[in-house]
Structure formats: structure tokens, C-alpha cells
Amino acid sequence: MRYLIDPEVVWIPSDQEVRLYSARSGEFHTLNRTAAEIWLQQAESGSVTEAAAELSRRHGAEDAAQHALIAKDVREFVDRLLAQELLVVEPVESAGAAGAADD
């Protein structure tokens, strides 16, 4: 499953943060450095698995346990973004075969 930024969300990276506004909820958010890294990875790949792998690589996860912890944190944060309607699930018809097996 892949995730897209809700089309009603306007966002901009700024000094190790991401600032965003949801026209749907009318709320502004500022994501800290760690949350911003996850947001930017999701914007690029749409994949929790790919985002977790990239963050593990960047932060030098040395073993499977460290990678699993990063993957858990990414998954939990993405779930919160989904609950706040800042991310949406990519529709199946546009996901194609590549998105069908992810997460």
C-alpha cells in the first residue's frame, strides 16, 4: 500500500522542519526534524518500507533490531498522518502492480 499527501495539504520544507496547512481541517502544523524526514520520504516514495529503509541507512542502523525500531516509528507516524487526513491511501487503480505488494 502506498500513501500520498492529501491534495488539500499545502506544505513547504523550512530549516529542518516542514510546515504544512490542511485546507480540509483548516489546521497548520510544523513538523520537527525527525517528522520532517519521514514526511519528505513519504512525499518521495509513498512507501513506509522505503522510507524506513532510507532513514535506517541515513541514521546508521547497525542491526535488524535498530531497523525494526525505525520501521515501527515510521509506521506509527504515518498512521497518525492518515488519521489526521494529511496522507491518503493511493487509489488501487493508480497504484499499479508496484504498489500492490508494499506495506
Side-chain angles (χ1 to χ4, degrees), residues 3-71:
Y3 306 97
L4 305 173
I5 295 171
D6 186 300
E8 298 291 320
V9 173
V10 178
W11 61 280
I12 158 176
S14 171
D15 288 333
Q16 297 184 350
E17 295 178 334
V18 169
R19 298 169 195 256
L20 52 96
Y21 170 73
S22 171
R24 188 177 312 284
S25 69
E27 294 180 356
F28 288 93
H29 301 270
T30 300
L31 304 179
N32 67 23
R33 180 181 173 194
T34 303
E37 279 191 273
I38 297 169
W39 178 270
L40 293 169
Q41 284 301 308
Q42 283 304 127
E44 185 176 316
S45 73
S47 166
V48 171
T49 302
E50 289 176 33
E54 177 59 21
L55 293 171
S56 290
R57 185 193 64 73
R58 280 189 199 169
H59 295 282
E62 296 177 6
D63 58 33
Q66 289 176 345
H67 175 74
L69 180 59
I70 290 170

